[in-house]
Amino acid sequence: MDMPNSCGMGLSTSESLDILHADISQLLRQVDGNNRTGENGWMSGWPFHHRDVRSTLPWTTIGIWVLQGAALFTAYAMVSQDMDRRDSLVVEAFVVLLVAMVSCYVIGWDRKLHREEMINKVKVVLKDLEACIQTCCELGWGEKLYPDLYMPSCPAITALWTYRDSQLVNLPAALLVRGDIIALRPGQTVPVQCRQLEDDGSLELQPGEIYSPRVSNSEDPPSDPRPVPPLRPCRFLVTHTAFTSNVRMCLENCHRRPASVQDRERHDIHRLVEWRLLPLTLILILLVNLLRYFLLRDDVGHWAEMLLALPVYATLPLLPPLLPWLWLGLNTYGTARVLALVQAGKVQQIDVFEEEEEERLLLTQSLPVQWSWVRSLMWEVLTGRTDSLPRTANILHTLGTVTALCCVDKRGVLSCPNASPEKVFFLTSLEDDGIGSEVSSETEEKINDLTENIAKGSREDVKIDLKSQDVSFKASAEKLQRDENVTNEETHANEEKQTSNTAVQEDLVDVKAVFPESFSEDDFYECHAEVLDITADPHSTCGIQFDDARWERHLNSLKPLGLNILLNNCNPLTVERNASFMDHLNCVSKDMGGRAILRYRRCLCQLVHQIGFSDKVLELFKLRLQVAAYRGLGSGLGQDQLSRRSSFLRNKLPVPNMVSVVTKDYTTGMLQLLTHGTADIVLDSCTDFWDGVDLCPLTDKDRKKILDFYHRMSLSAYCSAFAYRPLEKHVSRQLGEVFFELPVKDLDELRGSDTPTSDARPEELASPVQTDPGRTTGDSNPSLSSHDKDRVIRNEQDWFSSQSRQVFIGMVSAQYQAKQDVVHMIEDLDTACIRFVHFSAEDELRSRIFSEKMGLEAGWNCHISLLSSMEDRSRHSSGLDGDRSRHSSSETEGPARRSKLQLLGTHTEEQVPILEHAQVTFRDEVSEHLLPESPEHEVSEAVTDPSKKCDLPGQLCVSGNQSLVDSSNVLRQCSYESQNSRYSAEFGSQDNALIRADDVISMETDVTSHQSDVFDMTNRAKLPRGIENIRPHLENVDNVPLLVPLFTDATPQATKEMLQIMQEYGEVVCCVGSSTNIQNTGVFLQADVSVAVEPEYPQLCMRHGACPVSQCQEQGSSPCVLSCALNTLPCSVVFDKEHNYTSILLQMVQEARHLVLCIKNCLLFLLGCQLSISLVQVLSAVVLLPPPLSGGHVLWLSCLVVPVLSASLVAKETDKTVMTSAPGKNQNHVPLESVLQFSLHYVGRFVPSLGVCLLCFAFILHAVCTKVSPPGACHPMFGNRNMTLSWNGYEGEYSTGLVLAQECCCFLMVLYFGVTSMSYVHRSQPLWKKLPFTNIVWLVSFLIMLVLQVIYFAVAMAISTSKHSVHFSLRDVPLSAWLLGLLWVIFLVAGNELVKLHETRLSVRYQKRAKLQFGTKLGMNSPF
């Protein structure tokens, strides 16, 4: 592109990295200072705020713990000196205050890590920058570490041409710093603030603006081919470091992500217990103890014990002292488990290109996770040394409850980086079994013989020396030469065109020169269009395969196509010129309302290799010249018409353009002209087509077939046409130094033009270059005279005249194919009731086509355009009111209207096909919005009845006795008139001319309008259009916008807004996007959790393999790795392109779901046990019993036994059935129905066991009283009421009996808790289907707790016995207590299973409802 590869300008790598390091460091200090001074709010820095959802320890809980400790200290001071448990009160108080103090420190430290998590990650990036500076201080980065300069454009990769180390490199945009000199290519979007260095330097561009220089001589359309100087890159000075704004956004907004479902549920339950249940329990226990103390003072203990100690024992379990520790530990373990899967996936690569069955097995099998990885990751997460953001973006909570997985990039992430061929179109005379008549047995045998000969011989020949291809091209060259010679002779002799036509038709190519002798002309029928479908096949060597097993019989039609692709499209020598032409067209398209352009750098080597060509073919040809041309819009259109026309063509058909290369064949010395471009302009240059046997003239019928296919494919794919012809003359290299703008012709010019439009033979046209009939082609032929050698095509008129008689070869449509593993991931996500949402930057039609390839529902009512109406109108008028007004003002000075409509192109663009229903291959509803059907009787009447008036330009059809000038044109024009009659009222006042088909096509309509845009593929359901209309629709209409899987016309800002809307309505969003796109940083920051994927880099040519940047990870510091680290600051996980992120992400979701359910199960069991410890204290007071548990027992159970049993429930094996359940929404409160269900299940699981414990406790107390008291003196509830000591003698000498009863009660509670936890191990499966003993950790923990409880029992009894003379032992426990306590275990297991069955039934009902809501077809009324 005529930009120097090296020049003494620009920053060095070390200087630029120093600037980047200094700017980020300064910004970091500023934000850190604001946090320390509290400018961001005191609540964000205080970890104990009671309204902070993420805080596990609010200040109210700390205050309650302090009051409980103070109450125990007061009780210690008030009770009498001879009380046995007096010393234990001070120990209990000290433990409570110690645990509270340690919990405060742990939570404060954890919240500090939460507040500084993003700051620490930025500091890690700064350390990487420092390492890069030290590495690059002398040599800098090698050129191979940068993406290729001419890498095909990819929206997922943001890079700019930048001068670094005196070289022009393709630098990732995140590394641009102030002082950098960049080379902006025409039509390129600027990601950074910059100022122009050339010209007057007054042009300044802001991020998001497009550099669109003025196209010279663009005021008026040319009347002849006009040379246009190519637009060249312009140097700009970067005035602001690109990534500092993103760093500031990350540092300031990293704490604004929504709280997770688990944090909200824990916070709500904690507030419910703390603000509702605890006061109720305290009031109840105080009221009961006050009544007991005043009414039964002789039967109770000391007042300090009754009013201070016992209320503490009853309320302390409601706020478990170790809950913050347990919550932190479980989340740390779960996060480490999920992150270990990422490490395991990077170590063990999963091959997704195996057989289908093996592939599905590999995608579902679990990755091996080593405990050493989990242990090291736990330490990193706990100490804040990981870059996965476990606190600000909890990957465990988010992936465990994710409801929507959104992807914001397509190429290289969801699809292959390069478009692959999908269909091949050509015209052939070989009979098609599915179209022609029955094939005789003799013909079938000959076709089979031909197929065998081609398969055995031709492909081998073409791989070696292209022999068969030489024959084909030679025959074609001779044919065209004879055509030109005859034409010249007939022109000089002024003979009739019909005579020359007849002479040429008699001069045919010998078929035997191409095909075997066994074939005759009778084996070929009338030419028809042949379309070969191609599908991706990763198992084949070429990566693709033809669907037709007998495709090789068309090799003679495919070989010229393959050679053209190799020499033009996939020729490395044409890369730079093609890139310059595409940049030029980018600016031209802005003048045409943002019309699309056809990118030539779409590698089709897969198709070439499948046909049979090898790379050695390029060695047989030499590139001599490359000429590019395009056609723009006419200036005679009114502003309304031009706006409507460009609005359609902007998204539908590309700018007409073509690139022609002149190559020299070393084997024959011939010059070949090979053309590649859009079908409309290429077809204008063609007079014949190659049918695989002979050159045949292009008729109107043939042209319509070609344009039908081209227009249909251009709606959703990337379709390009190919043509060729031999050249006799050299072409001046000056023609290749400019681009050519072709003229736009009027109707009269079209009718009077000598451009072939019908059945006219090429000989009817004058040869552009007069030649000697006897001379031969090729510049190396010694027979050429000196006069011939001097004759060179030097001007544009001769050039375009010489190339106007090309031979049409065929067309290839390419499409971005969805990755197979992405398709499988979407299927698995759908099974897991996780909605996959694609935010596509493309228009609705292309987005829908690709979404269907991924398996998404993209039909009616299933997609929404985020393009607002104002933006849409500004897009439509950008080329008219923006660039065109800047480039030229002379258009408004001319006539306001012209008497004739100027077309967008020649007749080929005029003939927009009427697509029939059967021809539409995408969706049924698409055909409903194509060209309206025109009644055939109206057309016939217009032709047969001269009285019918056709108000055509140029008076083609008149009334009276005037005859029809051109019946075919009249038929077409009248057909268009009948189709467009309903629009005449709106536009008829502008001109007296007929509104042509292309005007009707371009009519712009709103989604809610009843006027039909001909090719309008917008969603016509009752859905909003534009991001500003989403919220009103959700508030006033329905929730369908939350259910659609596709959002089109998505910009980064609109995507962020839509993600926020989804989060406001309870969606848990995981965002997947490219790690090399600088615009994704804000979107990553908005999602609940983000996963960055390094996209596959598009390749200039697949023959050369992947881009060198694929080795960046192995080389340590590199621009791509550093840019990825900056762009992914808000991301929890970053995948390299070598890793199969889809399977790893699915297993991460599965593991996170399993762990989240286990943690929820653990906390529910913990809550049930803690409520039981508190409830047993309250019930004993109500029934007038002594306390069944001492303060030591309460702390023992709350701080050791229950947390250990609860935590062990998390250690069960991964349950893969979690991927078939539907997750819940992220609601702001716990539903009342859930609270009632938990209360009911709690009563069924725990309350009966508490009754058994109290009965056993009463039995033991009665037995103890009976042992030391006279017969009949023991009351069933109060014991021996004749005693004067506290608790009727259970204090003092007989206190060992109370200790025995309390120890037995505590043991039974531990036993019952352990048995009850059996039903929590596998909560969704009954005991007889899956035993709980599969969880080895739980089993070992349960046994250890029982052993420890026995030890605690023995130690407590030994201590009590040593202090008193009256001893009690297990022999004093009555048989009734033994039988009731032990036999209840059986009933407890059965009761828990019954409760589990009820829970399972409710869960199944909820899951059915949730899955029905998830799977309800969009657009239908949901029954819920």
Side-chain angles (χ1 to χ4, degrees):
M1 302 179 64
D2 300 334
M3 289 294 295
N5 267 345
S6 62
C7 60
M9 65 175 60
L11 301 174
S12 65
T13 301
S14 59
E15 291 174 348
S16 61
L17 294 182
D18 282 333
I19 296 175
L20 182 62
H21 185 279
D23 289 350
I24 296 180
S25 299
Q26 181 181 1
L27 180 61
L28 185 62
R29 288 192 297 268
Q30 179 182 354
V31 175
D32 194 14
N34 293 339
N35 293 336
R36 294 181 184 276
T37 57
E39 293 185 10
N40 295 331
W42 67 274
M43 178 179 173
S44 61
W46 198 46
F48 307 112
H49 198 279
H50 63 281
R51 293 184 180 177
D52 188 0
V53 178
R54 294 184 176 89
S55 177
T56 57
L57 188 60
W59 67 269
T60 52
T61 302
I62 300 174
I64 292 174
W65 284 346
V66 172
L67 292 177
Q68 289 173 344
L72 292 177
F73 273 119
T74 305
Y76 168 77
M78 293 298 177
V79 296
S80 59
Q81 297 292 334
D82 57 349
M83 181 178 176
D84 292 336
R85 292 190 301 276
R86 182 175 183 271
D87 296 334
S88 64
L89 291 175
V90 67
V91 175
E92 295 163 2
F94 178 77
V95 170
V96 169
L97 294 179
L98 178 64
V99 170
M101 183 176 61
V102 175
S103 297
C104 290
Y105 174 79
V106 171
I107 298 306
W109 173 69
D110 182 71
R111 293 289 292 176
K112 178 177 178 293
L113 293 178
H114 176 274
R115 186 171 60 255
E116 299 177 352
E117 192 169 46
M118 184 61 70
I119 296 177
N120 293 334
K121 190 169 184 178
V122 175
K123 290 180 179 178
V124 172
V125 175
L126 290 177
K127 291 182 179 179
D128 295 339
L129 269 175
E130 294 174 357
C132 292
I133 293 173
Q134 296 177 358
T135 305
C136 305
C137 60
E138 297 180 358
L139 301 178
W141 281 320
E143 187 177 355
K144 292 184 178 180
L145 294 180
Y146 294 97
D148 192 277
L149 275 177
Y150 298 101
M151 178 186 68
S153 63
C154 179
I157 302 173
T158 310
L160 268 78
W161 286 5
T162 310
Y163 290 97
R164 285 288 175 89
D165 300 316
S166 299
Q167 288 186 343
L168 187 63
V169 296
N170 203 9
L171 184 72
L175 301 183
L176 289 172
V177 299
R178 49 185 172 84
D180 263 328
I181 297 179
I182 59 177
L184 281 183
R185 300 165 66 177
Q188 190 172 19
T189 303
V190 182
V192 64
Q193 183 179 346
C194 57
R195 175 173 52 83
Q196 188 178 13
L197 291 177
E198 301 175 359
D199 298 334
D200 57 353
S202 60
L203 178 61
E204 292 188 1
L205 297 178
Q206 300 297 325
E209 294 183 352
I210 299 176
Y211 170 58
S212 181
R214 175 182 176 182
V215 181
S216 62
N217 300 326
S218 61
E219 290 81 5
D220 296 318
S223 58
D224 294 315
R226 178 176 62 192
V228 178
L231 296 176
R232 306 186 185 281
C234 180
R235 287 191 293 268
F236 279 75
L237 177 66
V238 178
T239 58
H240 184 74
T241 301
F243 203 75
T244 52
S245 58
N246 285 355
V247 174
R248 178 183 295 275
M249 177 176 56
C250 292
L251 293 174
E252 293 179 352
N253 301 325
C254 61
H255 306 294
R256 298 182 182 180
R257 281 174 162 165
S260 65
V261 177
Q262 286 69 36
D263 281 329
R264 291 187 184 277
E265 290 180 348
R266 177 197 47 74
H267 178 74
D268 292 341
I269 293 175
H270 185 90
R271 285 179 59 86
L272 180 64
V273 172
E274 183 179 77
W275 295 87
R276 297 291 187 272
L277 190 57
L278 188 145
L280 180 63
T281 303
L282 181 61
I283 293 174
L284 181 61
I285 191 69
L286 284 176
L287 181 61
V288 171
N289 285 342
L290 282 173
L291 293 176
R292 292 176 65 186
Y293 182 76
F294 289 108
L295 299 180
L296 302 171
R297 180 175 300 181
D298 297 334
D299 299 323
V300 296
H302 192 272
W303 70 268
E305 181 182 6
M306 296 294 294
L307 301 180
L308 295 177
L310 292 185
V312 171
Y313 299 158
T315 56
L316 181 62
L318 297 179
L319 299 176
L322 292 187
L323 177 60
W325 300 12
L326 182 65
W327 180 260
L328 179 61
L330 291 178
N331 283 278
T332 301
Y333 168 75
T335 304
R337 281 282 301 271
V338 174
L339 294 178
L341 285 174
V342 181
Q343 189 171 349
K346 294 180 179 180
V347 173
Q348 179 181 355
Q349 295 296 323
I350 296 182
D351 187 9
V352 297
F353 298 111
E354 300 293 336
E355 297 296 332
E356 185 70 18
E357 294 79 6
E358 298 180 4
E359 178 182 349
R360 301 300 295 148
L361 179 61
L362 286 171
L363 288 176
T364 55
Q365 68 181 5
S366 299
L367 290 171
V369 177
Q370 300 180 10
W371 171 246
S372 59
W373 298 346
V374 178
R375 186 174 61 251
S376 61
L377 286 172
M378 283 183 64
W379 178 250
E380 292 179 1
V381 172
L382 192 62
T383 57
R385 298 177 182 177
T386 180
D387 57 354
S388 60
L389 306 177
R391 291 170 176 83
T392 55
N394 196 317
I395 190 173
L396 171 67
H397 292 175
T398 304
L399 291 185
T401 56
V402 60
T403 60
L405 192 145
C406 304
C407 188
V408 296
D409 287 293
K410 169 186 171 182
R411 301 181 192 176
V413 178
L414 297 178
S415 70
C416 300
N418 292 79
S420 58
E422 193 174 44
K423 293 181 184 294
V424 177
F425 173 95
F426 53 87
L427 299 175
T428 180
S429 59
L430 189 64
E431 182 184 11
D432 191 347
D433 296 342
I435 298 178
S437 58
E438 285 190 0
V439 185
S440 62
S441 59
E442 182 180 358
T443 304
E444 183 68 26
E445 293 177 0
K446 292 182 179 181
I447 293 178
N448 293 335
D449 294 339
L450 173 62
T451 304
E452 294 178 2
N453 292 335
I454 291 175
K456 294 181 179 179
S458 298
R459 294 191 69 185
E460 285 75 3
D461 295 340
V462 77
K463 289 181 180 178
I464 298 174
D465 57 5
L466 201 64
K467 290 181 179 179
S468 60
Q469 185 62 55
D470 293 341
V471 174
S472 301
F473 272 121
K474 184 176 180 180
S476 303
E478 294 173 354
K479 170 70 176 175
L480 281 181
Q481 181 183 353
R482 284 194 292 270
D483 290 347
E484 290 185 354
N485 293 339
V486 172
T487 304
N488 295 336
E489 293 176 359
E490 299 299 334
T491 303
H492 291 303
N494 294 324
E495 294 183 0
E496 294 293 334
K497 294 182 179 180
Q498 185 63 32
T499 305
S500 64
N501 186 24
T502 306
V504 176
Q505 290 179 352
E506 294 173 355
D507 189 11
L508 298 176
V509 177
D510 189 5
V511 180
K512 296 181 180 180
V514 181
F515 285 93
E517 295 182 358
S518 58
F519 266 82
S520 63
E521 297 180 4
D522 296 335
D523 297 329
F524 298 91
Y525 299 83
E526 181 182 358
C527 293
H528 64 274
E530 184 75 27
V531 179
L532 297 180
D533 293 328
I534 304 174
T535 55
D537 183 13
H539 308 296
S540 65
T541 57
C542 301
I544 61 173
Q545 65 176 3
F546 287 97
D547 293 351
D548 188 358
R550 301 173 60 192
W551 67 270
E552 291 180 333
R553 61 179 177 160
H554 299 293
L555 268 179
N556 283 278
S557 297
L558 295 175
K559 286 177 182 178
L561 185 64
L563 184 64
N564 197 330
I565 293 173
L566 268 181
L567 298 181
N568 194 338
N569 194 45
C570 295
N571 192 341
L573 300 178
T574 64
V575 171
E576 183 177 351
R577 191 64 175 172
N578 279 336
S580 177
F581 185 50
M582 292 301 102
D583 293 341
H584 187 91
L585 284 185
N586 262 333
C587 289
V588 173
S589 68
K590 307 304 177 185
D591 295 343
M592 304 172 67
R595 192 172 173 183
I597 63 173
L598 176 65
R599 292 281 177 180
Y600 286 102
R601 293 310 309 174
R602 301 192 188 279
C603 181
L604 299 176
C605 288
Q606 292 176 315
L607 176 60
V608 173
H609 292 164
Q610 182 67 17
I611 293 174
F613 286 91
S614 64
D615 297 339
K616 296 182 179 180
V617 175
L618 286 175
E619 301 175 0
L620 304 178
F621 297 88
K622 178 182 179 181
L623 178 66
R624 301 296 298 272
L625 189 66
Q626 190 173 358
V627 183
Y630 65 92
R631 180 186 295 128
L633 287 172
S635 63
L637 297 174
Q639 291 294 316
D640 295 337
Q641 294 173 349
L642 189 58
S643 175
R644 293 192 302 273
R645 178 172 296 172
S646 62
S647 68
F648 160 68
L649 295 173
R650 169 178 58 86
N651 293 327
K652 304 303 184 279
L653 300 181
V655 176
N657 59 91
M658 63 179 178
V659 173
S660 301
V661 295
V662 179
T663 61
K664 179 180 179 180
D665 188 351
Y666 286 123
T667 59
T668 63
M670 293 171 43
L671 290 177
Q672 300 283 357
L673 175 65
L674 303 169
T675 301
H676 172 209
T678 58
D680 44 11
I681 194 171
V682 171
L683 199 58
D684 287 344
S685 303
C686 296
T687 58
D688 301 83
F689 69 90
W690 173 252
D691 68 343
V693 180
D694 193 8
L695 293 183
C696 302
L698 275 171
T699 64
D700 284 343
K701 183 178 180 182
D702 299 329
R703 294 178 184 273
K704 184 180 185 303
K705 292 178 182 179
I706 296 172
L707 290 177
D708 279 351
F709 179 85
Y710 169 69
H711 287 120
R712 193 164 61 247
M713 289 298 103
S714 295
L715 292 176
S716 59
Y718 306 91
C719 185
S720 54
F722 298 88
Y724 90 101
R725 68 158 294 168
L727 286 180
E728 294 179 317
K729 296 300 177 182
H730 294 281
V731 183
S732 174
R733 293 189 178 274
Q734 295 179 356
L735 296 178
E737 296 177 357
V738 295
F739 302 140
F740 292 94
E741 182 179 1
L742 301 185
V744 180
K745 299 183 180 180
D746 293 337
L747 290 176
D748 293 339
E749 297 177 28
L750 289 176
R751 285 192 296 274
S753 174
D754 57 358
T755 305
T757 60
S758 60
D759 293 340
R761 294 294 298 153
E763 290 74 20
E764 299 177 5
L765 301 176
S767 176
V769 180
Q770 303 298 326
T771 59
D772 185 7
R775 64 181 296 274
T776 59
T777 61
D779 59 341
S780 60
N781 196 318
S783 64
L784 291 173
S785 62
S786 60
H787 178 69
D788 292 336
K789 292 181 181 180
D790 294 337
R791 297 186 60 188
V792 179
I793 300 176
R794 300 183 183 277
N795 59 70
E796 56 272 10
Q797 189 65 39
D798 292 342
W799 161 250
F800 283 100
S801 298
S802 65
Q803 75 158 2
S804 62
R805 298 174 55 202
Q806 299 189 52
V807 178
F808 178 79
I809 300 176
M811 291 183 290
V812 177
S813 69
Q815 183 61 278
Y816 288 95
Q817 303 296 331
K819 294 181 179 180
Q820 196 65 24
D821 54 337
V822 172
V823 176
H824 294 324
M825 179 187 71
I826 294 176
E827 294 176 356
D828 293 337
L829 290 176
D830 186 73
T831 303
C833 295
I834 299 175
R835 199 175 309 279
F836 182 87
V837 182
H838 180 209
F839 287 89
S840 174
E842 297 178 319
D843 59 18
E844 298 186 24
L845 180 59
R846 292 189 184 275
S847 302
R848 288 174 57 187
I849 296 299
F850 181 74
S851 296
E852 290 177 352
K853 290 180 179 293
M854 292 190 296
L856 297 178
E857 182 69 26
W860 183 83
N861 212 28
C862 293
H863 67 278
I864 292 177
S865 174
L866 296 181
L867 182 66
S868 62
S869 56
M870 294 299 296
E871 292 175 349
D872 200 7
R873 285 193 291 269
S874 64
R875 280 193 187 183
H876 293 167
S877 60
S878 60
L880 305 174
D881 304 329
D883 295 333
R884 293 191 68 87
S885 62
R886 185 182 71 243
H887 298 327
S888 173
S889 60
S890 60
E891 296 181 5
T892 59
E893 299 174 0
R897 293 287 184 269
R898 297 181 59 177
S899 60
K900 303 175 183 178
L901 284 177
Q902 291 196 351
L903 303 181
L904 294 176
T906 62
H907 63 283
T908 58
E909 286 192 49
E910 174 189 345
Q911 298 171 359
V912 179
I914 301 176
L915 302 181
E916 298 177 358
H917 178 78
Q919 293 175 322
V920 182
T921 59
F922 25 94
R923 281 281 177 183
D924 295 337
E925 66 269 18
V926 172
S927 60
E928 298 177 2
H929 306 300
L930 297 177
L931 282 175
E933 296 182 359
S934 56
E936 297 181 359
H937 68 276
E938 296 183 7
V939 179
S940 60
E941 289 177 2
V943 178
T944 57
D945 189 359
S947 63
K948 297 284 184 179
K949 288 188 178 182
C950 296
D951 189 15
L952 299 177
Q955 298 299 322
L956 290 180
C957 178
V958 295
S959 60
N961 298 326
Q962 296 180 358
S963 60
L964 298 177
V965 179
D966 190 339
S967 61
S968 62
N969 286 339
V970 172
L971 277 172
R972 184 168 63 251
Q973 300 296 343
C974 293
S975 174
Y976 290 153
E977 185 182 30
S978 62
Q979 296 165 9
N980 305 330
S981 59
R982 57 178 173 175
Y983 302 109
S984 58
E986 181 179 355
F987 298 100
S989 59
Q990 298 179 4
D991 315 276
N992 292 326
L994 171 68
I995 299 176
R996 304 190 57 81
D998 46 5
D999 293 320
V1000 179
I1001 290 173
S1002 63
M1003 285 188 179
E1004 177 187 357
T1005 60
D1006 190 79
V1007 179
T1008 59
S1009 174
H1010 294 289
Q1011 278 186 316
S1012 175
D1013 192 335
V1014 178
F1015 280 97
D1016 185 18
M1017 302 302 169
T1018 55
N1019 191 356
R1020 296 184 175 276
K1022 296 298 182 181
L1023 288 181
R1025 180 181 178 88
I1027 187 63
E1028 71 279 0
N1029 297 320
I1030 299 294
R1031 281 191 176 90
H1033 185 94
L1034 292 172
E1035 295 172 359
N1036 304 321
V1037 184
D1038 54 32
N1039 67 334
V1040 173
L1042 301 176
L1043 308 179
V1044 297
L1046 175 62
F1047 292 93
T1048 64
D1049 303 302
T1051 62
Q1053 187 62 34
T1055 302
K1056 286 178 55 179
E1057 186 70 17
M1058 190 61 219
L1059 292 183
Q1060 183 178 359
I1061 293 174
M1062 296 170 67
Q1063 292 168 344
E1064 291 173 0
Y1065 283 84
E1067 300 288 341
V1068 181
V1069 179
C1070 173
C1071 181
V1072 178
S1074 169
S1075 62
T1076 57
N1077 189 352
I1078 192 175
Q1079 296 180 343
N1080 283 346
T1081 305
V1083 181
F1084 287 152
L1085 190 62
Q1086 181 62 49
D1088 293 85
V1089 72
S1090 298
V1091 177
V1093 179
E1094 184 184 11
E1096 298 181 24
Y1097 286 80
Q1099 305 168 21
L1100 283 170
C1101 187
M1102 296 184 181
R1103 299 194 308 269
H1104 305 306
C1107 191
V1109 296
S1110 60
Q1111 303 173 355
C1112 289
Q1113 298 291 345
E1114 302 176 359
Q1115 300 183 11
S1117 64
S1118 68
C1120 297
V1121 173
L1122 190 57
S1123 172
C1124 175
L1126 289 172
N1127 292 329
T1128 59
L1129 280 178
C1131 297
S1132 299
V1133 178
V1134 180
F1135 289 103
D1136 302 331
K1137 56 177 171 291
E1138 292 83 4
H1139 303 140
N1140 180 23
Y1141 76 93
T1142 56
S1143 62
I1144 300 176
L1145 185 58
L1146 280 175
Q1147 295 200 34
M1148 291 173 64
V1149 172
Q1150 174 181 294
E1151 187 72 16
R1153 273 195 176 188
H1154 166 76
L1155 291 171
V1156 163
L1157 290 178
C1158 288
I1159 292 175
K1160 182 178 181 179
N1161 199 24
C1162 160
L1163 295 181
L1164 289 177
F1165 175 74
L1166 175 71
L1167 180 60
C1169 292
Q1170 296 298 125
L1171 290 178
S1172 300
I1173 298 173
S1174 178
L1175 184 59
V1176 74
Q1177 301 283 80
V1178 176
L1179 291 178
S1180 65
V1182 172
V1183 297
L1184 307 180
L1185 285 175
L1189 298 175
S1190 65
H1193 291 145
V1194 172
L1195 291 175
W1196 169 261
L1197 293 175
S1198 300
C1199 297
L1200 182 62
V1201 176
V1202 174
V1204 169
L1205 288 177
S1206 302
S1208 64
L1209 298 175
V1210 183
K1212 72 173 184 178
E1213 61 182 5
T1214 303
D1215 185 9
K1216 295 183 178 181
T1217 60
V1218 296
M1219 293 300 288
T1220 60
S1221 59
K1225 299 290 185 180
N1226 189 1
Q1227 301 176 354
N1228 294 327
H1229 60 281
V1230 177
L1232 180 60
E1233 182 182 0
S1234 300
V1235 176
L1236 296 178
Q1237 289 180 3
F1238 171 79
S1239 302
L1240 177 63
H1241 298 154
Y1242 170 77
V1243 171
R1245 290 179 186 273
F1246 291 94
V1247 173
S1249 299
L1250 299 182
V1252 173
C1253 289
L1254 289 179
L1255 285 176
C1256 293
F1257 178 68
F1259 290 161
I1260 296 173
L1261 286 180
H1262 186 72
V1264 168
C1265 179
T1266 304
K1267 180 179 179 180
V1268 297
S1269 300
C1274 292
H1275 189 274
M1277 304 297 296
F1278 305 116
N1280 190 356
R1281 306 188 70 177
N1282 296 325
M1283 295 286 184
T1284 59
L1285 298 176
S1286 300
W1287 302 107
N1288 290 329
Y1290 292 129
E1291 288 286 352
E1293 291 297 327
Y1294 306 125
S1295 62
T1296 306
L1298 180 60
V1299 171
L1300 175 63
Q1302 289 178 338
E1303 294 297 334
C1304 289
C1305 182
C1306 185
F1307 177 82
L1308 289 178
M1309 292 193 68
V1310 172
L1311 177 64
Y1312 295 157
F1313 286 163
V1315 173
T1316 303
S1317 65
M1318 291 174 57
S1319 63
Y1320 283 85
V1321 176
H1322 304 294
R1323 198 171 179 186
S1324 60
Q1325 295 177 334
L1327 186 64
W1328 55 86
K1329 287 187 177 181
K1330 195 166 187 178
L1331 294 175
F1333 308 116
T1334 56
N1335 188 347
I1336 304 299
V1337 176
W1338 167 83
L1339 181 61
V1340 173
S1341 300
F1342 180 32
L1343 296 178
I1344 290 176
M1345 288 301 102
L1346 286 179
V1347 172
L1348 290 179
Q1349 185 60 41
V1350 171
I1351 295 174
Y1352 186 94
F1353 184 102
V1355 171
M1357 289 299 297
I1359 294 175
S1360 179
T1361 302
S1362 63
K1363 294 181 179 180
H1364 303 92
S1365 58
V1366 180
H1367 298 168
F1368 296 94
S1369 64
L1370 290 177
R1371 292 189 298 269
D1372 299 320
V1373 177
L1375 181 61
S1376 58
W1378 284 109
L1379 292 177
L1380 180 61
L1382 297 179
L1383 291 180
W1384 174 247
V1385 173
I1386 301 175
F1387 296 97
L1388 180 60
V1389 172
N1392 284 331
E1393 289 304 311
L1394 291 177
V1395 174
K1396 183 193 292 187
L1397 289 177
H1398 184 261
E1399 282 184 334
T1400 304
R1401 190 177 298 111
L1402 292 178
S1403 177
V1404 169
R1405 183 187 305 172
Y1406 170 79
Q1407 286 296 323
K1408 286 182 178 180
R1409 178 177 300 181
K1411 291 180 179 180
L1412 183 61
Q1413 291 176 342
F1414 178 84
T1416 299
K1417 293 297 182 181
L1418 302 180
M1420 298 173 59
N1421 293 325
S1422 174
F1424 299 99

